[in-house]
Amino acid sequence: GGFGGSPSGRNSVKKFCAHLENRFKIACTPRVRRGIDIDAGCGQLTSTLKQREAQQKRKDALSKEINDSTIPKETATTPSLHE
């Protein structure tokens, strides 16, 4: 997922901001690119955290299922065939 294009050039961004400000009186502050590896923009960090939380919940559930299946069941309540 994600945008497959490339970032706009600085001049294009400046022209777009000037158009917004001059024509529509909308203040515009371009976002400064800090690095492609950080998940800080456009909700990416939130999305990443939610994915990690969901993955951890799946791991925890699987661990619990494995642990529950390896716990020996009480045999004291099971009648013996030889009684």
Side-chain angles (χ1 to χ4, degrees), residues 21-22 36 46 58 60 74 76:
E21 290 171 355
N22 295 333
I36 199 151
T46 300
R58 288 191 299 271
D60 292 346
E74 290 186 32

Side-chain angles (χ1 to χ4, degrees), residues 15-26:
K15 287 179 185 178
F16 181 71
C17 284
H19 181 74
L20 288 175
E21 290 171 355
N22 295 333
R23 171 102 173 147
F24 302 105
K25 308 295 184 226
I26 297 173

Side-chain angles (χ1 to χ4, degrees), residues 71-83:
I71 295 173
K73 304 296 181 202
E74 290 186 32
T75 56
T77 58
T78 305
S80 173
L81 296 176
H82 302 289
E83 288 182 9

Side-chain angles (χ1 to χ4, degrees), residues 4-41:
S6 61
S8 301
R10 288 183 182 173
N11 286 333
S12 296
V13 173
K14 284 181 184 180
K15 287 179 185 178
F16 181 71
C17 284
H19 181 74
L20 288 175
E21 290 171 355
N22 295 333
R23 171 102 173 147
F24 302 105
K25 308 295 184 226
I26 297 173
C28 179
T29 304
R31 181 172 162 241
V32 178
R33 190 174 182 92
R34 299 280 185 208
I36 199 151
D37 60 331
I38 58 172
D39 292 331

Side-chain angles (χ1 to χ4, degrees), residues 33-59:
R33 190 174 182 92
R34 299 280 185 208
I36 199 151
D37 60 331
I38 58 172
D39 292 331
C42 304
Q44 292 173 338
L45 180 59
T46 300
S47 177
T48 299
L49 290 175
K50 286 182 180 180
Q51 287 175 352
R52 287 181 186 163
E53 287 172 357
Q55 185 178 32
Q56 187 61 48
K57 284 181 183 179
R58 288 191 299 271
K59 284 181 181 179

